[in-house]
Amino acid sequence: MAGTPSKKRRTAGPKKQAPRGNPQKAHVSRAPQHVEKATARDWIGAARLRTLPLAITPVLVGTGAAILVADVFHWVIALFCLIVSVSLQIGVNYANDYSDGIRGTDDHRVGPARLTAGRRAKPRTVLLVALAFFAIAALAGLAITIRTQQWWLIAVGAVCIIAAWFYTGGKRPYGYYGLGELFVFVFFGLVATLGTTWVQALALPQEAWFGAVGVGLIACAVLLANNLRDIDQDRVAGKKTLTVLIGRTATRWLFTVFLLVAFAIAVFLAWIGYPIAWLTLLALLAGLPAILIVWTYRDPRELVVALGLTSLTSVAYGAFLMWAFIG
C-alpha cells in the first residue's frame, strides 16, 4: 500500500512588528534616495503665502484695540508682534510640510507640491527651517517681554510654539483628531489678537475680545477650506480632521457660518459706536465668492482659490476693524 506523500511544512517568515516610537519615522525609507534640490520658488511655495494674512489680521485688530485704549501707537512693539505672528505661521507651515511628509500624509496632495513628500528637499533641512522660524518668533517674543516686563509672556510663547509643532508633529498630533480648528481659533484668534492688545495697552477692552473672536472664526474658515480640499487624501492617510469627521455638507455649512458670524460681530461693533466697521462688509466681495466656491466646486483644486479668497477676506476684515477702532 503506497504511503501518502508527506506535505511540505511551510516555515513561517519573520513576524512583522508594528513600528515603535514616533510613527512619523516609520514612513522614512532606509534606502538612499536621490534628492532633487528645491528651488527658491519651491521654498517660497512651502511657506504657503496664502495663509500669511491670517498672521497679519490679529496684529491689525489687536493694535487697533490697543490704540483705542492707550491713545498711543507703540509701533515698535506692534512690529515685533507682527514678526512673532508671521514667523510662527511660516514655522508651522514648514513643520506641517515636514511632519505630514514623513508620515506619508502628503503623498497624494491636491494642493501645492510639498518639499518633503515631493523629495524636493531633505526632511532634516525642512525641519531645520521650521525650527529657525520658531526661533525667530521666540527671539521677537523675548524682546517684547523685556520691553514690557511682562515675564509671564515667556510661558505663553512657549505654549504657542509647542502647539504649532504638535499640530501635525509628534506621536499624537491633535490635527489628526479633529482639533485643528479649535487650536487655530485659540492661538490665531484669541491669543494673537489679545496678546497684541495687551503688550501695547496692558488692558483688554471688549473691542479686542469681539475682534479676536471674529479673527479666529475666519482663520478656522481658512482651515476648513484647506481640509475640504484634502478630505479624500486625509481619509486614506488616516488623518481625522474635523472635515473628515463631519463630512462635506456639514463642513460647507460650518465654513459659511464661521464667515457670516465674523461679519455679524463687525456689524454689532458698528451698531454700538464704531460706524467705520460697516466698511468690513466690503471684505465680503472676497468672502462671498469663497462661500460660493465651497458650495459648488467640482474639482478640489478650486478650493485653493477659495482658501486664497478667505485669507484675503481676513486681512481686509482686520484692516477695516483697525480703522474703525482708531478712526
Side-chain angles (χ1 to χ4, degrees):
M1 202 171 168
T4 57
S6 60
K7 294 182 180 180
K8 294 182 180 180
R9 295 183 179 178
R10 295 182 180 180
T11 57
K15 186 177 181 181
K16 292 183 180 180
Q17 296 181 349
R20 297 179 180 178
N22 191 333
Q24 294 177 354
K25 297 180 180 179
H27 185 74
V28 180
S29 174
R30 298 294 181 185
Q33 295 178 346
H34 171 71
V35 177
E36 182 180 352
K37 186 177 180 180
T39 65
R41 184 175 181 178
D42 293 329
W43 283 103
I44 293 172
R48 307 183 197 180
L49 300 184
R50 291 185 183 88
T51 65
L52 294 191
L54 303 181
I56 299 172
T57 303
V59 178
L60 292 175
V61 176
T63 298
I67 295 173
L68 176 67
V69 174
D71 199 26
V72 61
F73 179 30
H74 296 284
W75 68 271
V76 174
I77 297 179
L79 176 61
F80 274 77
C81 287
L82 184 63
I83 293 172
V84 171
S85 187
V86 171
S87 297
L88 279 176
Q89 180 68 66
I90 295 176
V92 76
N93 287 341
Y94 281 121
N96 291 348
D97 188 300
Y98 167 79
S99 297
D100 282 342
I102 62 177
R103 279 182 187 274
T105 309
D106 277 347
D107 285 352
H108 304 287
R109 275 285 176 255
V110 175
R114 302 291 189 251
L115 293 173
T116 306
R119 292 180 171 79
R120 296 172 183 265
K122 294 179 180 179
R124 178 179 174 82
T125 304
V126 179
L127 174 61
L128 290 175
V129 171
L131 295 177
F133 277 100
F134 288 150
I136 293 171
L139 291 174
L142 181 60
I144 294 172
T145 301
I146 294 172
R147 174 65 178 80
T148 61
Q149 296 293 295
Q150 301 290 302
W151 298 103
W152 55 271
L153 290 174
I154 293 176
V156 175
V159 171
C160 288
I161 292 175
I162 291 171
W165 171 253
F166 283 102
Y167 174 54
T168 56
K171 295 180 180 180
R172 294 177 179 83
Y174 61 83
Y176 279 61
Y177 295 94
L179 297 174
E181 285 75 10
L182 174 62
F183 279 76
V184 164
F185 178 79
V186 170
F187 288 99
F188 282 95
L190 301 183
V191 174
T193 306
L194 299 176
T196 299
T197 301
W198 178 263
V199 296
Q200 295 182 68
L202 297 183
L204 294 177
Q206 65 172 359
E207 291 82 0
W209 286 95
F210 282 121
V213 172
V215 169
L217 289 174
I218 298 177
C220 288
V222 171
L223 183 57
L224 284 174
N226 179 80
N227 290 341
L228 185 60
R229 180 198 67 195
D230 297 333
I231 185 172
D232 292 328
Q233 293 76 22
D234 286 341
R235 279 174 176 161
V236 172
K239 184 176 182 179
K240 298 177 181 178
T241 63
L242 180 61
T243 296
V244 169
L245 294 175
I246 66 177
R248 285 186 173 87
T249 301
T251 297
R252 289 177 170 124
W253 278 111
L254 202 56
F255 177 89
T256 305
V257 169
F258 281 173
L259 276 185
L260 295 183
V261 170
F263 282 96
I265 290 172
V267 168
F268 174 75
L269 289 170
W271 180 66
I272 66 172
Y274 300 95
I276 296 177
W278 286 109
L279 294 178
T280 59
L281 296 179
L282 292 175
L284 285 173
L285 292 174
L288 291 178
I291 293 174
L292 182 63
I293 292 172
V294 164
W295 279 96
T296 63
Y297 80 95
R298 291 294 178 266
D299 187 333
R301 291 179 178 84
E302 297 174 44
L303 291 170
V304 176
V305 178
L307 189 154
L309 288 172
T310 311
S311 293
L312 180 61
T313 301
S314 173
V315 74
Y317 180 90
F320 283 125
L321 271 192
M322 180 181 183
W323 185 11
F325 292 153
I326 67 178

